[in-house]
């Protein structure tokens, strides 16, 4: 389990610093992918406590339902979103402990960072595959 955790941390860091080339994105569904999907959904609950945006339960179920659907249908697309979203969800924990409710501008910045880093990986992986 230690090797998996260190690999996930290394990949996440490379993604969030825009240095990941998309190598190693999941091509098929695996138990690890399902476990990370569950962790992503659970970590999304941090926004209910820390975010200033106050997402509603229907939005939460819609967003994480769509992410779960992608994990079943397109593991590679899910892989592009998984680690940046997981990282940003978990980032709310220390932010909340340090400053309380996370200001809206920080919420938006976190989401844009996750989206931009995932989009960069997706673009690089498609270029590498010749698309």
């Amino acid at each position: 389990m230690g090797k998996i955790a260190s690999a996930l941390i290394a990949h996440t860091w490379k993604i969030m610093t825009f240095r990941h080339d998309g190598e190693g994105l999941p091509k098929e569904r695996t138990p690890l992918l399902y476990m990370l999907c569950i962790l992503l959904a659970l970590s999304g609950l941090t926004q209910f406590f820390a975010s200033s945006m106050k997402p509603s339960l229907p939005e939460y179920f819609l967003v994480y339902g769509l992410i779960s659907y992608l994990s079943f249908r397109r593991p590679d697309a899910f892989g592009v979103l998984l680690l940046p979203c997981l990282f940003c969800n978990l980032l709310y924990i220390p932010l909340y402990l340090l400053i309380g409710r996370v200001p809206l501008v920080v919420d938006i910045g976190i989401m844009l960072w996750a989206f931009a880093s995932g989009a960069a990986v997706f673009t690089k992986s498609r270029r590498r595959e010749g698309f």
Side-chain angles (χ1 to χ4, degrees), residues 107-128:
D107 276 331
I108 292 170
I110 288 170
M111 284 188 241
L112 288 174
W113 184 21
F115 177 77
S117 62
V121 170
F122 185 76
T123 302
K124 289 176 186 177
S125 72
R126 294 297 176 227
R127 252 190 242 139
R128 189 176 46 74

Side-chain angles (χ1 to χ4, degrees), residues 2-56:
K3 278 188 169 186
I4 292 172
S6 62
L8 289 172
I9 291 168
H11 278 281
T12 302
W13 184 250
K14 284 177 74 173
I15 291 169
M16 298 311 293
T17 57
F18 298 89
R19 295 180 294 132
H20 200 291
D21 66 356
E23 182 73 34
L25 288 176
K27 302 283 190 241
E28 56 191 41
R29 297 178 299 269
T30 64
L32 177 62
L33 191 63
Y34 294 135
M35 183 190 75
L36 291 172
C37 184
I38 291 167
L39 183 60
L40 179 65
L42 290 174
S43 71
L45 294 172
T46 60
Q47 291 182 358
F48 281 103
F49 301 105
S51 175
S52 294
M53 290 199 307
K54 291 295 177 203
S56 68

Side-chain angles (χ1 to χ4, degrees), residues 79-95:
V80 167
L81 297 172
L82 172 70
L83 294 178
C85 288
L86 188 57
F87 173 84
C88 289
N89 284 348
L90 295 175
L91 185 60
Y92 278 96
I93 296 169
L95 286 174

